[in-house]
């Protein structure tokens, strides 16, 4: 058998050799958000570890805009040689459902490498709301009939869809109040201008300790590291209710599998390093890793999950 006139075994041998030598030049790592944001804070320690282990710089390239879509398009249309990666956030699996049209196919045009980090999200209320438990809150919300408001960091994001998921799961109604960023939303919940919101746990912990916010439930599979006394939604009877922030790395579709495996193995090793774990812990993050197949499976399942939420909530794609 021949491929374009070249013996297939020779093609395979050349591809394997290239993967073994990879990387031989700097690797561009695209971040679809502004410097200093969560995606940046997650990917920088990983990029440094990959540099140390693989011998080439993993250079951060910021392409902010459209909830990460601009950066993702750059990567989707890059050469499938392993020298361009995308640092993903939860928006990677939400955008296919909240945008009317994307300039790429999230499943077909990318090759997952590995998950890199998780961050817990919790449901919190302003203490003025007369609810000390989730059950209390549901009762209050049903009694007030659409009088309560919930803040988010913007339409179509995890904090917005978390609120819609709660409405669907409990039968309550709340008015969505979108903000241009989570910090602005949290400030208005603390100030009493909005009643509740789903919030990333790390920045909210000081406010909980100060009594300015009350955490009613954690939306992760396990209790949040920073809020060990707060039950999960699953513990409270809402099975499969998960809204967390997951980060990862993907490459353009077509990157040789040997290169994907090499990158995935390096991320797994990085996730076990004490200094990366410590650095992440200070940010309220958990270092994780996965195989390319495990990450691909997660992407498919998460897109399907949010498709159901968006459809049931009748959210009109942007």
């Amino acid at each position: 058998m021949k491929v374009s006139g070249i013996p297939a075994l020779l093609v395979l041998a050349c591809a394997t050799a290239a993967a073994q030598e990879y990387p031989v030049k700097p690797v561009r790592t695209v971040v679809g958000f502004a410097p200093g944001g969560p995606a940046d804070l997650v990917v920088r320690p990983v990029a440094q570890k990959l540099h140390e282990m693989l011998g080439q710089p993993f250079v951060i390239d910021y392409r902010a805009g459209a909830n990460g879509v601009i950066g993702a398009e750059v990567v989707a249309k890059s050469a499938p040689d392993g020298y361009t990666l995308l640092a993903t956030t939860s928006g990677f699996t939400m955008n296919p459902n909240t945008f009317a049209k994307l300039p790429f196919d999230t499943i077909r045009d990318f090759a997952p490498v590995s998950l890199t980090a998780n961050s817990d999200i919790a449901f919190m209320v302003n203490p003025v709301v007369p609810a000390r438990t989730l059950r209390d809150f549901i009762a209050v919300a049903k009694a007030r009939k659409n009088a309560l408001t919930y803040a988010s960091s913007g339409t179509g994001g995890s904090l917005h869809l978390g609120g819609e998921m709660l409405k669907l799961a409990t039968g309550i109604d709340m008015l969505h109040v979108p903000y241009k960023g989570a910090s602005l939303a949290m400030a208005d919940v603390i100030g009493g201008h909005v009643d509740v919101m789903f919030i990333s746990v790390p920045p909210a912990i000081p406010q909980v300790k100060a009594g300015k916010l009350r955490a009613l439930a954690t939306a992760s599979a396990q209790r949040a590291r920073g809020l060990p006394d707060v039950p999960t939604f699953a513990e409270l009877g809402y099975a499969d209710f998960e809204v967390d922030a997951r980060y990862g790395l993907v490459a353009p579709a077509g990157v040789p599998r040997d290169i994907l495996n090499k990158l995935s193995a390096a991320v797994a090793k990085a996730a076990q390093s004490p200094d990366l774990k410590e650095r992440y812990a200070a940010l309220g993050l958990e270092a994780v890793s996965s195989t390319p197949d495990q990450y691909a499976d997660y992407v498919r399942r998460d897109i399907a999950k949010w498709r159901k939420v968006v459809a049931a909530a009748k959210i009109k794609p942007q």
Side-chain angles (χ1 to χ4, degrees):
M1 177 183 175
K2 293 187 176 183
V3 178
S4 301
I6 301 175
L9 289 177
L10 179 58
V11 173
L12 179 61
C14 291
T16 302
Q20 289 173 343
E21 295 172 359
Y22 171 89
V24 296
K25 62 181 181 179
V27 178
R28 178 172 61 154
T29 307
V30 176
V31 174
F33 299 88
D40 186 29
L41 295 176
V42 168
V43 77
R44 280 191 171 278
V46 175
Q48 179 59 37
K49 283 296 178 183
L50 294 179
H51 178 192
E52 295 169 5
M53 289 185 283
L54 299 179
Q56 290 289 341
F58 280 67
V59 182
I60 308 300
D61 180 7
Y62 299 101
R63 299 296 184 96
N67 198 35
V69 171
I70 291 175
E73 182 180 11
V74 169
V75 176
K77 296 179 179 179
S78 295
D81 55 9
Y83 290 96
T84 303
L85 303 177
L86 174 69
T88 63
T89 67
S90 295
F92 187 66
T93 55
M94 293 179 176
N95 289 341
N97 301 305
T98 57
F99 280 79
K101 186 176 181 179
L102 292 174
F104 51 78
D105 184 292
T106 303
I107 295 176
R108 185 188 64 223
D109 294 337
F110 295 94
V113 173
S114 176
L115 288 165
T116 56
N118 289 342
S119 179
D120 297 313
I121 289 176
F123 179 61
M124 302 193 187
V125 304
N126 181 292
V128 172
V129 177
R132 305 199 70 84
T133 67
L134 182 62
R135 179 179 292 182
D136 291 344
F137 175 78
I138 294 170
V140 170
K142 288 184 176 180
R144 294 191 181 182
K145 296 181 180 179
N146 202 25
L148 294 178
T149 53
Y150 78 97
S152 81
S153 54
T155 301
S158 58
L159 307 187
H160 172 209
L161 296 187
E164 294 301 321
M165 200 172 178
L166 179 62
K167 289 163 60 177
L168 293 169
T170 61
I172 65 173
D173 207 351
M174 301 181 292
L175 178 64
H176 177 219
V177 183
Y179 287 79
K180 293 182 178 180
S183 59
L184 294 174
M186 184 170 69
D188 266 13
V189 174
I190 291 171
H193 304 293
V194 186
D195 298 305
V196 306
M197 73 178 292
F198 280 85
I199 311 176
S200 181
V201 168
I205 289 176
Q207 310 301 332
V208 173
K209 291 182 176 178
K212 296 179 180 179
L213 289 172
R214 181 179 297 139
L216 301 185
T218 300
S220 304
Q222 300 176 337
R223 293 194 178 198
R225 291 169 292 283
L227 298 171
D229 297 328
V230 178
T232 66
F233 275 92
E235 289 178 280
L236 297 173
Y238 297 92
D240 300 323
F241 191 110
E242 290 186 27
V243 186
D244 52 13
R246 296 203 183 193
Y247 303 87
L249 290 173
V250 300
V255 171
R257 184 57 187 245
D258 286 351
I259 290 179
L260 296 178
N261 288 341
K262 189 170 187 177
L263 285 167
S264 176
V267 173
K269 186 175 180 181
Q272 295 302 314
S273 62
D275 56 333
L276 186 139
K277 285 184 176 181
E278 183 178 353
R279 189 168 176 180
Y280 272 2
L283 298 171
L285 298 165
E286 176 188 14
V288 299
S289 63
S290 67
T291 66
D293 286 342
Q294 288 170 335
Y295 190 17
D297 181 60
Y298 166 77
V299 169
R300 287 190 293 269
R301 287 186 290 106
D302 216 48
I303 289 175
K305 179 180 81 172
W306 293 118
R307 182 181 301 123
K308 292 178 182 178
V309 172
V310 169
K314 299 180 180 179
I315 298 172
K316 186 176 180 180
Q318 303 176 48

